[in-house]
Amino acid sequence: QVQLVESGGGEVQAGGSLNVSCTSSMNIFSSCAMAWYRQAPGKERELVSSIAYNGPTNYPTTYTDSVKGRFTISFDNVQNVLYLEMNSLKTDDTAVYYCAADCRNLNWRLLLKSFQPVYWGQGTQVTVSS
């Protein structure tokens, strides 16, 4: 059973930066697509960014429009850690951030096109104040 544990959330002022991490109990990054979701109070959980493994130097990514140019997803395949670097944060970025893994036996393109989480982390709170 894969366990995902997020860390690094906190509070930051608008315009600031924050990084969140997700440590996996197993090395799954070469076989699973990974993603960050977030859920703001009163809103549905939304997919923020995803990443897949397509060879040792090729990691395709996706970003929702509202974070493009501000957020960067990456993973460390040796340490089994997924990262989300968040810059130029806005108050609208306030949410609980969750990491997730889609480990279906599909081509990476299909995984990124239609991400379906199989495993979830417990979430970490990110608060952006004005």
Side-chain angles (χ1 to χ4, degrees), residues 8-102:
E11 184 168 355
V12 65
Q13 287 193 325
S17 299
L18 200 63
N19 297 332
V20 290
S21 303
C22 171
T23 301
S24 172
S25 60
M26 299 171 62
N27 188 331
I28 60 173
F29 296 149
S30 60
S31 57
C32 303
M34 304 296 297
W36 286 98
Y37 284 74
R38 66 185 179 187
Q39 187 166 22
K43 295 187 178 181
E44 292 186 356
R45 191 172 297 190
E46 68 166 340
L47 176 62
V48 176
S49 180
S50 59
I51 186 170
Y53 178 86
N54 185 33
T57 60
N58 188 355
Y59 309 121
T61 59
T62 71
Y63 296 93
T64 192
D65 286 346
S66 62
V67 307
K68 284 180 180 176
R70 300 189 298 122
F71 290 12
T72 302
I73 190 172
S74 62
F75 58 61
D76 184 328
N77 206 20
V78 175
Q79 300 293 329
N80 299 333
V81 181
L82 176 73
Y83 300 100
L84 185 66
E85 178 183 347
M86 302 181 289
N87 298 309
S88 302
L89 282 161
K90 306 175 181 179
T91 55
D92 286 348
D93 294 319
T94 295
V96 178
Y97 283 72
Y98 300 89
C99 70
D102 183 351

Coordinates of all heavy atoms in Angstrom, one line a residue, residues 8-102:
G8 N 5.2 21.0 4.4 CA 5.6 22.3 3.9 C 4.6 23.4 3.8 O 4.9 24.5 3.4
G9 N 3.3 23.1 4.1 CA 2.3 24.1 4.1 C 2.6 25.2 5.1 O 3.5 25.1 6.0
G10 N 1.8 26.3 5.1 CA 2.0 27.3 6.0 C 1.3 28.6 5.5 O 0.4 28.5 4.7
E11 N 1.6 29.7 6.2 CA 1.0 31.0 5.8 C 2.1 31.9 5.2 O 3.2 32.0 5.7 CB 0.4 31.6 7.0 CG -0.4 32.9 6.7 CD -1.3 33.4 7.8 OE1 -1.4 32.7 8.8 OE2 -1.9 34.5 7.7
V12 N 1.7 32.6 4.2 CA 2.6 33.5 3.5 C 1.7 34.7 3.0 O 0.5 34.6 2.8 CB 3.3 32.8 2.4 CG1 2.3 32.4 1.3 CG2 4.4 33.7 1.8
Q13 N 2.4 35.8 2.9 CA 1.7 37.0 2.3 C 1.6 36.9 0.8 O 2.4 36.3 0.2 CB 2.4 38.3 2.7 CG 2.3 38.6 4.2 CD 2.7 40.0 4.5 OE1 3.7 40.5 3.9 NE2 2.1 40.7 5.4
A14 N 0.6 37.6 0.3 CA 0.4 37.6 -1.2 C 1.7 38.1 -1.8 O 2.3 39.1 -1.3 CB -0.8 38.5 -1.5
G15 N 2.0 37.5 -2.9 CA 3.2 37.8 -3.6 C 4.4 37.0 -3.2 O 5.5 37.0 -3.9
G16 N 4.3 36.3 -2.1 CA 5.4 35.5 -1.6 C 5.4 34.1 -2.2 O 4.7 33.8 -3.2
S17 N 6.3 33.3 -1.7 CA 6.6 31.9 -2.2 C 6.5 30.9 -1.1 O 6.7 31.2 0.1 CB 8.0 31.9 -2.8 OG 8.1 32.8 -3.9
L18 N 6.1 29.7 -1.5 CA 6.0 28.6 -0.6 C 6.2 27.3 -1.4 O 5.8 27.2 -2.5 CB 4.6 28.6 0.1 CG 4.5 27.8 1.4 CD1 5.3 28.4 2.5 CD2 3.0 27.9 1.8
N19 N 6.9 26.3 -0.7 CA 7.1 25.0 -1.4 C 6.4 24.0 -0.5 O 6.5 24.0 0.7 CB 8.5 24.7 -1.5 CG 9.3 25.7 -2.4 OD1 8.7 26.2 -3.3 ND2 10.6 25.9 -2.1
V20 N 5.7 23.1 -1.2 CA 5.1 21.9 -0.5 C 5.7 20.6 -1.1 O 6.1 20.6 -2.2 CB 3.6 21.9 -0.6 CG1 3.0 23.0 0.2 CG2 3.1 22.0 -2.0
S21 N 5.8 19.6 -0.2 CA 6.4 18.4 -0.6 C 5.5 17.2 -0.3 O 4.6 17.3 0.6 CB 7.8 18.2 0.2 OG 8.6 19.2 0.0
C22 N 5.7 16.1 -1.0 CA 5.0 14.9 -0.8 C 5.9 13.7 -0.8 O 6.5 13.5 -1.9 CB 3.9 14.8 -1.8 SG 3.0 13.2 -1.8
T23 N 6.1 13.0 0.3 CA 7.0 11.9 0.3 C 6.2 10.6 0.2 O 5.2 10.4 0.8 CB 7.7 11.9 1.6 OG1 8.5 13.1 1.8 CG2 8.7 10.7 1.7
S24 N 6.6 9.8 -0.8 CA 6.0 8.5 -1.0 C 6.7 7.4 -0.2 O 7.9 7.4 -0.1 CB 6.0 8.2 -2.5 OG 5.5 6.9 -2.7
S25 N 5.9 6.4 0.3 CA 6.5 5.3 1.0 C 7.2 4.3 0.1 O 7.9 3.4 0.6 CB 5.4 4.6 1.8 OG 4.4 4.1 1.0
M26 N 6.9 4.4 -1.2 CA 7.5 3.5 -2.2 C 8.0 4.3 -3.4 O 7.5 5.4 -3.6 CB 6.5 2.5 -2.6 CG 5.9 1.6 -1.5 SD 4.5 0.6 -2.0 CE 5.3 -0.4 -3.3
N27 N 8.9 3.8 -4.1 CA 9.4 4.4 -5.4 C 8.4 4.2 -6.5 O 8.4 3.1 -7.1 CB 10.7 3.9 -5.7 CG 11.3 4.7 -6.9 OD1 10.6 5.2 -7.7 ND2 12.6 4.8 -6.9
I28 N 7.5 5.1 -6.7 CA 6.4 4.9 -7.7 C 6.5 5.9 -8.8 O 5.7 5.8 -9.7 CB 5.0 5.1 -7.0 CG1 4.9 6.5 -6.4 CG2 4.8 4.0 -5.9 CD1 3.5 6.7 -5.8
F29 N 7.4 6.8 -8.8 CA 7.4 7.9 -9.8 C 7.7 7.4 -11.2 O 7.3 8.1 -12.1 CB 8.4 9.0 -9.4 CG 8.0 9.7 -8.1 CD1 9.0 10.2 -7.2 CD2 6.7 9.8 -7.7 CE1 8.7 10.8 -6.0 CE2 6.4 10.4 -6.5 CZ 7.4 10.9 -5.7
S30 N 8.3 6.3 -11.4 CA 8.6 5.8 -12.8 C 7.4 5.0 -13.3 O 7.3 4.7 -14.5 CB 9.8 5.0 -12.8 OG 9.7 3.9 -11.9
S31 N 6.4 4.7 -12.4 CA 5.3 3.9 -12.9 C 4.0 4.6 -12.7 O 2.9 4.1 -13.2 CB 5.3 2.5 -12.2 OG 5.3 2.7 -10.7
C32 N 3.9 5.7 -11.9 CA 2.7 6.4 -11.6 C 2.8 7.8 -12.0 O 3.9 8.4 -11.8 CB 2.3 6.3 -10.1 SG 2.2 4.6 -9.5
A33 N 1.8 8.4 -12.6 CA 1.7 9.8 -12.7 C 1.4 10.4 -11.3 O 0.6 9.8 -10.5 CB 0.6 10.2 -13.7
M34 N 1.9 11.6 -11.1 CA 1.7 12.3 -9.8 C 1.0 13.6 -10.0 O 1.2 14.2 -11.1 CB 3.0 12.5 -9.0 CG 3.8 11.2 -8.8 SD 3.0 10.0 -7.7 CE 2.9 11.0 -6.2
A35 N 0.3 14.1 -9.0 CA -0.4 15.3 -9.1 C -0.6 16.0 -7.8 O -0.5 15.4 -6.8 CB -1.8 15.1 -9.8
W36 N -0.8 17.3 -7.9 CA -1.2 18.2 -6.8 C -2.6 18.6 -7.1 O -2.9 19.2 -8.1 CB -0.3 19.4 -6.6 CG 1.1 19.0 -6.0 CD1 2.2 18.8 -6.7 CD2 1.4 18.8 -4.6 NE1 3.2 18.5 -5.9 CE2 2.7 18.5 -4.6 CE3 0.6 18.8 -3.5 CZ2 3.4 18.2 -3.4 CZ3 1.3 18.6 -2.3 CH2 2.6 18.3 -2.2
Y37 N -3.5 18.4 -6.1 CA -4.8 19.0 -6.1 C -4.9 20.0 -4.9 O -4.1 20.0 -4.0 CB -5.9 17.9 -5.8 CG -6.1 17.0 -7.0 CD1 -5.2 16.0 -7.4 CD2 -7.3 17.0 -7.7 CE1 -5.5 15.1 -8.4 CE2 -7.7 16.2 -8.7 CZ -6.7 15.2 -9.1 OH -7.0 14.4 -10.2
R38 N -6.0 20.8 -5.0 CA -6.2 21.7 -3.9 C -7.7 21.8 -3.7 O -8.5 21.7 -4.7 CB -5.6 23.1 -4.1 CG -6.1 23.9 -5.2 CD -5.3 25.2 -5.4 NE -5.8 26.0 -6.5 CZ -5.2 27.1 -6.9 NH1 -4.1 27.5 -6.4 NH2 -5.7 27.8 -8.0
Q39 N -8.1 22.1 -2.5 CA -9.5 22.4 -2.2 C -9.6 23.6 -1.3 O -9.1 23.5 -0.1 CB -10.1 21.1 -1.5 CG -11.6 21.3 -1.3 CD -12.3 19.9 -1.0 OE1 -11.7 19.0 -0.6 NE2 -13.6 19.9 -1.3
A40 N -10.3 24.6 -1.8 CA -10.5 25.8 -1.0 C -11.9 25.6 -0.2 O -12.7 24.9 -0.7 CB -10.6 27.0 -1.9
P41 N -12.1 26.4 0.8 CA -13.3 26.3 1.6 C -14.5 26.5 0.7 O -14.6 27.5 0.0 CB -13.2 27.4 2.6 CG -11.7 27.5 2.8 CD -11.1 27.3 1.5
G42 N -15.5 25.6 0.7 CA -16.7 25.8 0.0 C -16.6 25.5 -1.5 O -17.5 25.7 -2.3
K43 N -15.4 25.0 -1.9 CA -15.2 24.7 -3.3 C -14.8 23.3 -3.5 O -14.4 22.6 -2.6 CB -14.1 25.6 -3.9 CG -14.4 27.1 -3.9 CD -13.4 27.9 -4.6 CE -13.8 29.4 -4.7 NZ -12.7 30.2 -5.4
E44 N -15.0 22.8 -4.8 CA -14.6 21.4 -5.1 C -13.1 21.3 -5.2 O -12.4 22.3 -5.5 CB -15.3 21.0 -6.4 CG -16.8 20.9 -6.4 CD -17.4 20.4 -7.6 OE1 -16.6 20.1 -8.6 OE2 -18.6 20.1 -7.7
R45 N -12.7 20.1 -5.0 CA -11.2 19.8 -5.2 C -10.9 20.0 -6.6 O -11.6 19.4 -7.5 CB -10.9 18.4 -4.6 CG -9.4 18.1 -4.5 CD -9.2 16.8 -3.8 NE -9.7 16.8 -2.4 CZ -9.5 15.8 -1.6 NH1 -8.7 14.8 -1.9 NH2 -10.0 15.9 -0.4
E46 N -9.8 20.6 -6.9 CA -9.4 20.8 -8.3 C -7.9 20.4 -8.6 O -7.1 20.4 -7.7 CB -9.5 22.3 -8.7 CG -8.5 23.2 -8.0 CD -8.4 24.6 -8.7 OE1 -8.8 24.8 -9.9 OE2 -7.9 25.6 -8.0
L47 N -7.7 19.9 -9.8 CA -6.4 19.5 -10.2 C -5.5 20.7 -10.5 O -5.9 21.5 -11.3 CB -6.5 18.6 -11.4 CG -5.1 18.1 -12.0 CD1 -4.3 17.3 -11.0 CD2 -5.4 17.3 -13.3
V48 N -4.4 20.9 -9.8 CA -3.5 22.0 -10.0 C -2.4 21.7 -11.0 O -2.2 22.5 -11.9 CB -2.9 22.4 -8.6 CG1 -1.9 23.6 -8.8 CG2 -4.0 22.8 -7.6
S49 N -1.8 20.6 -10.8 CA -0.7 20.2 -11.7 C -0.4 18.8 -11.6 O -0.7 18.1 -10.6 CB 0.6 21.0 -11.2 OG 1.7 20.7 -12.0
S50 N 0.1 18.2 -12.7 CA 0.5 16.8 -12.7 C 1.8 16.6 -13.5 O 2.2 17.5 -14.2 CB -0.7 16.0 -13.4 OG -0.9 16.4 -14.7
I51 N 2.4 15.4 -13.2 CA 3.7 15.1 -13.8 C 3.8 13.6 -14.0 O 3.2 12.8 -13.2 CB 4.8 15.6 -12.9 CG1 6.2 15.5 -13.6 CG2 4.8 15.0 -11.6 CD1 7.3 16.2 -12.9
A52 N 4.4 13.2 -15.1 CA 4.6 11.8 -15.4 C 6.1 11.5 -15.8 O 6.8 12.5 -16.1 CB 3.7 11.4 -16.5
Y53 N 6.4 10.3 -15.7 CA 7.8 9.9 -16.1 C 7.8 9.3 -17.5 O 7.0 8.4 -17.8 CB 8.2 8.8 -15.1 CG 9.6 8.2 -15.3 CD1 10.7 8.8 -14.8 CD2 9.8 7.0 -16.1 CE1 12.0 8.3 -15.0 CE2 11.0 6.5 -16.3 CZ 12.1 7.2 -15.8 OH 13.4 6.6 -16.0
N54 N 8.6 9.9 -18.3 CA 8.8 9.4 -19.7 C 10.2 9.3 -20.1 O 10.7 9.8 -21.1 CB 8.1 10.4 -20.7 CG 8.1 9.8 -22.1 OD1 8.0 8.6 -22.3 ND2 8.1 10.7 -23.1
G55 N 11.0 8.6 -19.2 CA 12.4 8.5 -19.4 C 13.1 9.3 -18.4 O 12.6 10.2 -17.7
P56 N 14.4 9.0 -18.2 CA 15.2 9.6 -17.1 C 15.4 11.2 -17.2 O 15.7 11.8 -16.2 CB 16.6 8.9 -17.2 CG 16.6 8.4 -18.6 CD 15.2 8.1 -19.0
T57 N 15.1 11.7 -18.4 CA 15.2 13.2 -18.5 C 14.0 13.8 -19.1 O 14.0 15.0 -19.6 CB 16.5 13.5 -19.4 OG1 16.3 13.0 -20.7 CG2 17.7 13.0 -18.8
N58 N 12.9 13.1 -19.1 CA 11.7 13.7 -19.7 C 10.5 13.5 -18.8 O 10.0 12.4 -18.6 CB 11.4 12.9 -21.1 CG 10.3 13.6 -21.8 OD1 9.6 14.5 -21.4 ND2 10.1 13.1 -23.0
Y59 N 10.1 14.6 -18.2 CA 9.0 14.6 -17.3 C 7.9 15.5 -17.7 O 7.9 16.7 -17.3 CB 9.5 15.0 -15.9 CG 10.7 14.2 -15.4 CD1 11.9 14.8 -15.1 CD2 10.7 12.8 -15.3 CE1 13.0 14.2 -14.7 CE2 11.8 12.1 -14.9 CZ 12.9 12.8 -14.6 OH 14.1 12.1 -14.2
P60 N 6.9 15.0 -18.5 CA 5.9 15.9 -19.0 C 5.0 16.4 -17.8 O 4.8 15.7 -16.8 CB 5.0 15.0 -19.9 CG 5.9 13.8 -20.2 CD 6.8 13.7 -19.1
T61 N 4.5 17.6 -18.0 CA 3.8 18.2 -16.9 C 2.5 18.9 -17.4 O 2.4 19.2 -18.6 CB 4.6 19.3 -16.1 OG1 5.0 20.3 -17.1 CG2 5.8 18.7 -15.5
T62 N 1.6 19.1 -16.6 CA 0.4 19.9 -16.9 C 0.1 20.9 -15.7 O 0.5 20.6 -14.6 CB -0.9 19.1 -17.1 OG1 -1.3 18.5 -15.8 CG2 -0.7 17.9 -18.0
Y63 N -0.5 22.0 -16.1 CA -0.8 23.0 -15.0 C -2.2 23.6 -15.4 O -2.5 23.8 -16.5 CB 0.2 24.2 -15.0 CG 1.6 23.8 -14.6 CD1 2.5 23.4 -15.6 CD2 2.0 23.8 -13.3 CE1 3.8 23.1 -15.2 CE2 3.2 23.4 -12.9 CZ 4.2 23.1 -13.9 OH 5.4 22.7 -13.5
T64 N -3.0 23.8 -14.3 CA -4.2 24.5 -14.6 C -3.9 26.0 -14.9 O -2.9 26.5 -14.5 CB -5.1 24.4 -13.3 OG1 -6.4 24.9 -13.7 CG2 -4.6 25.2 -12.2
D65 N -4.8 26.6 -15.7 CA -4.4 28.0 -16.2 C -4.1 29.0 -15.1 O -3.2 29.8 -15.3 CB -5.6 28.5 -17.0 CG -5.7 27.8 -18.4 OD1 -4.7 27.1 -18.8 OD2 -6.8 27.9 -19.0
S66 N -4.8 28.9 -14.0 CA -4.6 29.9 -13.0 C -3.2 29.9 -12.3 O -2.9 30.8 -11.6 CB -5.7 29.8 -11.9 OG -5.6 28.5 -11.2
V67 N -2.5 28.8 -12.5 CA -1.1 28.7 -11.8 C 0.0 28.7 -12.8 O 1.2 28.7 -12.4 CB -1.0 27.5 -10.9 CG1 -2.2 27.5 -9.9 CG2 -1.0 26.2 -11.7
K68 N -0.3 28.7 -14.1 CA 0.8 28.6 -15.1 C 1.7 29.8 -15.0 O 1.2 31.0 -14.8 CB 0.1 28.6 -16.5 CG -0.4 27.3 -16.9 CD -1.0 27.3 -18.3 CE -1.6 25.9 -18.7 NZ -2.3 26.0 -20.0
G69 N 3.0 29.5 -15.0 CA 4.0 30.6 -14.9 C 4.3 30.9 -13.4 O 5.2 31.7 -13.2
R70 N 3.5 30.4 -12.5 CA 3.8 30.7 -11.1 C 4.2 29.5 -10.3 O 4.9 29.6 -9.3 CB 2.5 31.3 -10.4 CG 2.1 32.6 -11.1 CD 0.9 33.3 -10.2 NE -0.3 32.4 -10.1 CZ -0.8 32.0 -9.0 NH1 -0.2 32.4 -7.8 NH2 -1.9 31.3 -9.0
F71 N 3.6 28.3 -10.6 CA 3.9 27.1 -9.9 C 4.8 26.1 -10.8 O 4.7 26.1 -12.0 CB 2.6 26.3 -9.6 CG 1.7 27.0 -8.6 CD1 1.9 28.3 -8.1 CD2 0.7 26.3 -8.0 CE1 1.2 28.9 -7.2 CE2 -0.2 26.8 -7.1 CZ 0.1 28.1 -6.6
T72 N 5.6 25.4 -10.1 CA 6.4 24.4 -10.8 C 6.3 23.0 -10.1 O 6.6 23.0 -8.8 CB 7.9 24.8 -10.9 OG1 7.9 26.1 -11.6 CG2 8.7 23.8 -11.6
I73 N 6.0 22.0 -10.8 CA 5.9 20.7 -10.2 C 7.2 19.9 -10.6 O 7.7 20.0 -11.7 CB 4.6 19.9 -10.7 CG1 4.5 18.6 -9.9 CG2 4.7 19.6 -12.2 CD1 3.1 17.9 -10.1
S74 N 7.7 19.1 -9.7 CA 8.8 18.3 -10.0 C 8.9 17.1 -9.0 O 8.1 17.1 -8.0 CB 10.1 19.1 -9.9 OG 10.3 19.6 -8.5
F75 N 9.7 16.1 -9.3 CA 9.9 15.1 -8.3 C 11.4 14.6 -8.3 O 12.1 14.7 -9.3 CB 8.9 13.9 -8.5 CG 9.0 13.2 -9.8 CD1 10.1 12.5 -10.3 CD2 7.8 13.1 -10.6 CE1 10.1 11.9 -11.5 CE2 7.8 12.5 -11.8 CZ 9.0 11.8 -12.3
D76 N 11.7 14.1 -7.2 CA 13.1 13.5 -6.9 C 12.9 12.0 -6.9 O 12.3 11.5 -5.9 CB 13.6 14.0 -5.6 CG 15.0 13.5 -5.4 OD1 15.3 12.4 -5.8 OD2 15.8 14.2 -4.7
N77 N 13.3 11.4 -8.0 CA 13.0 9.9 -8.1 C 13.9 9.1 -7.2 O 13.7 7.9 -7.0 CB 13.3 9.5 -9.5 CG 12.5 8.3 -9.9 OD1 11.5 7.9 -9.3 ND2 12.9 7.6 -11.0
V78 N 14.9 9.7 -6.6 CA 15.8 9.0 -5.7 C 15.3 9.1 -4.3 O 15.3 8.1 -3.5 CB 17.2 9.5 -5.8 CG1 18.1 8.9 -4.7 CG2 17.8 9.4 -7.2
Q79 N 14.8 10.3 -3.9 CA 14.3 10.5 -2.5 C 12.8 10.2 -2.4 O 12.3 10.2 -1.3 CB 14.6 11.9 -2.1 CG 16.0 12.3 -2.1 CD 16.8 11.6 -1.0 OE1 16.3 11.3 0.0 NE2 18.1 11.3 -1.3
N80 N 12.2 9.9 -3.6 CA 10.7 9.6 -3.6 C 9.9 10.8 -3.1 O 9.0 10.6 -2.3 CB 10.4 8.3 -2.7 CG 11.1 7.1 -3.3 OD1 11.4 7.0 -4.4 ND2 11.4 6.2 -2.4
V81 N 10.3 12.0 -3.5 CA 9.6 13.2 -3.1 C 9.0 13.9 -4.3 O 9.8 14.2 -5.2 CB 10.5 14.1 -2.3 CG1 9.8 15.3 -1.8 CG2 11.1 13.3 -1.1
L82 N 7.8 14.3 -4.2 CA 7.1 15.2 -5.2 C 7.1 16.6 -4.6 O 6.8 16.8 -3.4 CB 5.7 14.7 -5.4 CG 4.8 15.5 -6.3 CD1 5.3 15.3 -7.8 CD2 3.4 15.1 -6.2
Y83 N 7.4 17.6 -5.4 CA 7.4 19.0 -5.0 C 6.4 19.8 -5.8 O 6.1 19.5 -6.9 CB 8.8 19.6 -5.2 CG 9.9 18.8 -4.5 CD1 10.8 17.9 -5.1 CD2 10.2 19.1 -3.1 CE1 11.8 17.3 -4.4 CE2 11.2 18.5 -2.4 CZ 12.0 17.6 -3.1 OH 13.0 16.9 -2.4
L84 N 6.0 20.9 -5.1 CA 5.3 22.0 -5.8 C 5.9 23.3 -5.3 O 5.7 23.6 -4.1 CB 3.8 21.9 -5.5 CG 2.9 22.9 -6.3 CD1 3.0 22.6 -7.8 CD2 1.5 22.9 -5.8
E85 N 6.5 24.0 -6.2 CA 7.1 25.3 -5.9 C 6.1 26.3 -6.3 O 5.6 26.3 -7.5 CB 8.4 25.5 -6.7 CG 9.0 26.9 -6.4 CD 10.3 27.1 -7.3 OE1 10.8 26.1 -7.8 OE2 10.7 28.2 -7.4
M86 N 5.7 27.2 -5.4 CA 4.6 28.1 -5.6 C 5.2 29.5 -5.4 O 5.7 29.9 -4.3 CB 3.4 27.9 -4.7 CG 2.9 26.5 -4.8 SD 1.5 26.2 -3.7 CE 2.3 26.1 -2.1
N87 N 5.1 30.3 -6.5 CA 5.6 31.7 -6.4 C 4.5 32.7 -6.8 O 3.4 32.3 -7.3 CB 6.8 31.9 -7.4 CG 8.0 31.0 -7.1 OD1 8.5 31.0 -6.0 ND2 8.4 30.3 -8.1
S88 N 4.7 33.9 -6.5 CA 3.7 35.0 -6.7 C 2.4 34.6 -6.2 O 1.4 34.7 -6.9 CB 3.7 35.3 -8.2 OG 5.0 35.7 -8.7
L89 N 2.3 34.1 -5.0 CA 1.1 33.6 -4.5 C 0.0 34.6 -4.3 O 0.3 35.8 -4.0 CB 1.3 32.9 -3.1 CG 2.0 31.5 -3.3 CD1 2.6 31.1 -2.0 CD2 0.9 30.5 -3.7
K90 N -1.2 34.2 -4.6 CA -2.4 35.1 -4.5 C -3.3 34.5 -3.4 O -3.3 33.4 -3.0 CB -3.2 35.1 -5.8 CG -2.3 35.5 -7.0 CD -3.1 35.3 -8.3 CE -2.2 35.7 -9.5 NZ -3.0 35.5 -10.8
T91 N -4.2 35.4 -2.9 CA -5.1 34.9 -1.8 C -6.0 33.8 -2.4 O -6.4 32.9 -1.6 CB -6.0 36.1 -1.3 OG1 -6.7 36.7 -2.5 CG2 -5.1 37.2 -0.6
D92 N -6.3 33.8 -3.6 CA -7.1 32.7 -4.2 C -6.4 31.4 -4.2 O -7.0 30.3 -4.5 CB -7.4 33.0 -5.7 CG -8.5 34.1 -5.8 OD1 -9.1 34.4 -4.8 OD2 -8.7 34.6 -6.9
D93 N -5.1 31.3 -3.9 CA -4.4 30.1 -3.8 C -4.5 29.4 -2.5 O -4.1 28.3 -2.3 CB -2.9 30.3 -4.1 CG -2.6 30.8 -5.5 OD1 -3.2 30.2 -6.4 OD2 -1.7 31.7 -5.6
T94 N -5.2 30.1 -1.5 CA -5.5 29.5 -0.2 C -6.3 28.3 -0.3 O -7.4 28.3 -0.9 CB -6.2 30.6 0.7 OG1 -5.3 31.7 0.9 CG2 -6.6 29.9 2.0
A95 N -5.8 27.2 0.2 CA -6.5 25.9 0.1 C -5.7 24.8 0.8 O -4.6 25.1 1.3 CB -6.6 25.5 -1.4
V96 N -6.4 23.7 1.0 CA -5.6 22.5 1.4 C -5.1 21.8 0.1 O -5.8 21.6 -0.8 CB -6.5 21.5 2.2 CG1 -5.7 20.3 2.6 CG2 -7.1 22.2 3.4
Y97 N -3.8 21.6 0.1 CA -3.1 21.0 -1.0 C -2.9 19.5 -0.8 O -2.3 19.1 0.3 CB -1.8 21.7 -1.3 CG -2.0 23.0 -2.0 CD1 -2.6 24.1 -1.3 CD2 -1.7 23.2 -3.3 CE1 -2.8 25.3 -1.9 CE2 -2.0 24.4 -4.0 CZ -2.5 25.5 -3.2 OH -2.7 26.7 -3.9
Y98 N -3.3 18.7 -1.7 CA -3.2 17.2 -1.6 C -2.3 16.7 -2.8 O -2.4 17.1 -3.9 CB -4.5 16.6 -1.8 CG -5.5 16.9 -0.7 CD1 -6.4 18.0 -0.9 CD2 -5.7 16.2 0.5 CE1 -7.3 18.4 0.0 CE2 -6.6 16.6 1.4 CZ -7.4 17.6 1.2 OH -8.4 18.0 2.1
C99 N -1.4 15.8 -2.4 CA -0.8 15.1 -3.5 C -1.5 13.8 -3.8 O -2.2 13.2 -2.9 CB 0.7 14.8 -3.2 SG 1.0 13.6 -2.0
A100 N -1.4 13.3 -5.0 CA -2.1 12.1 -5.5 C -1.3 11.3 -6.5 O -0.4 11.9 -7.2 CB -3.5 12.5 -6.1
A101 N -1.6 10.1 -6.6 CA -0.9 9.2 -7.6 C -1.9 8.4 -8.4 O -2.9 7.9 -7.8 CB 0.0 8.2 -6.8
D102 N -1.7 8.4 -9.7 CA -2.5 7.6 -10.6 C -1.6 6.5 -11.1 O -0.7 6.7 -11.9 CB -3.0 8.4 -11.7 CG -3.9 7.7 -12.7 OD1 -4.0 6.4 -12.6 OD2 -4.5 8.3 -13.5

